[in-house]
Amino acid sequence: MTTSARLAALSDRGRVSDHNEDCYATHDDLWIVADGMGGHASGEVASRVAVDSVVRSLGAMAPGQALADQLRDAVAGARGALLDHVRATPQDAGMGTTLVTAARRGDELAVAWVGDSRAYLLEGDQLRSLTNDHNVAEEMLALGMIDAEQARTHPGQYRLTRALSGDSDIDATPDALTVPARGRLLLCSDGLNGELSSDTIGRLLGEADPETAARALVHAALDAGGRDNITVVVVDL
């Protein structure tokens, strides 16, 4: 677990998997969560390669560029790092990862993501999702084919429409947005929201401090089944 006065990060392999394919990073005002896919070893390699690539890219970018554009470019660039890895290590072909990242600059918070790892913002007792999942269920919801409650348990939740991948044919286009930097930020892999409702996430995220909230969220997801790896990063903005 990573903790400070205003931040806590915690990752757990869950109750089913024998290993953890999630990866996270916290660097000053930059936070990242990635959820790897692709088999026993490759998923955790993919998430680590992508996270490291985003950190390197943001460290090399010019400060004058809009923060959301910087994050979007860094996430898009992580695909190249995965393609390079697969070319050098063909046995990892087929690996991939989702990724969500957030960064603060002054009173501005930017978020970029690809796949179904999420960012939430809690202001007072109001929780809102800053991201939309890149999966079939979310597309069906947008088209009015299913409602929000149906989308939460629809099989399309597990069919990604975008991801960072070592396969050049998969759409890796990230989305990005900017919001005021206030409240409490949560980044998470889908092992959390796959087990807990938004109401439960909002209630637990409102615990007294980030460490208490992070532990409460992960333990609740484990108690609810823990069928996937669970990673949370909680930041007081």
Side-chain angles (χ1 to χ4, degrees), residues 37-59:
M37 311 166 287
H40 183 78
S42 297
E44 60 199 72
V45 172
S47 60
R48 171 51 63 187
V49 168
V51 167
D52 288 348
S53 175
V54 170
V55 172
R56 286 195 307 270
S57 295
L58 289 170

Side-chain angles (χ1 to χ4, degrees), residues 63-79:
Q65 187 181 11
L67 185 56
D69 292 340
Q70 287 186 323
L71 290 188
R72 184 188 289 110
D73 289 349
V75 174
R79 183 188 202 178

Side-chain angles (χ1 to χ4, degrees), residues 202-228:
R203 175 174 56 81
L204 297 176
L205 186 58
E207 291 282 352
D209 57 80
E211 181 176 353
T212 303
R215 291 188 185 278
L217 287 163
V218 170
H219 291 164
L222 290 170
D223 289 344
R227 289 164 288 186
D228 199 354

Side-chain angles (χ1 to χ4, degrees), residues 185-205:
L185 173 71
L186 168 65
L187 305 183
C188 65
S189 60
D190 69 338
L192 183 79
N193 54 270
E195 299 290 2
L196 304 180
S197 68
S198 294
D199 287 345
T200 300
I201 290 172
R203 175 174 56 81
L204 297 176
L205 186 58

Side-chain angles (χ1 to χ4, degrees), residues 107-234:
D107 60 0
E108 176 182 271
L109 177 75
V111 178
W113 72 98
V114 61
D116 60 0
S117 291
R118 293 185 180 182
Y120 293 92
L121 194 61
L122 182 70
E123 295 185 73
D125 59 358
Q126 298 298 309
L127 180 74
R128 61 172 168 146
S129 178
L130 299 179
T131 57
N132 59 289
D133 296 341
H134 296 145
N135 61 31
V136 171
E138 189 74 19
E139 290 189 353
M140 293 176 68
L141 176 62
L143 292 171
M145 299 170 65
I146 55 177
D147 62 28
E149 184 58 32
Q150 290 171 322
R152 186 171 175 270
T153 58
H154 193 277
Q157 285 282 357
Y158 307 103
R159 294 171 57 193
L160 293 175
T161 54
R162 301 188 216 175
L164 297 173
S165 173
D167 182 347
S168 59
D169 293 333
I170 295 176
D171 187 357
T173 307
D175 284 329
L177 56 78
T178 302
V179 296
R182 58 177 181 245
R184 179 171 284 179
L185 173 71
L186 168 65
L187 305 183
C188 65
S189 60
D190 69 338
L192 183 79
N193 54 270
E195 299 290 2
L196 304 180
S197 68
S198 294
D199 287 345
T200 300
I201 290 172
R203 175 174 56 81
L204 297 176
L205 186 58
E207 291 282 352
D209 57 80
E211 181 176 353
T212 303
R215 291 188 185 278
L217 287 163
V218 170
H219 291 164
L222 290 170
D223 289 344
R227 289 164 288 186
D228 199 354
N229 306 150
I230 308 155
T231 300
V232 302
V233 174
V234 179

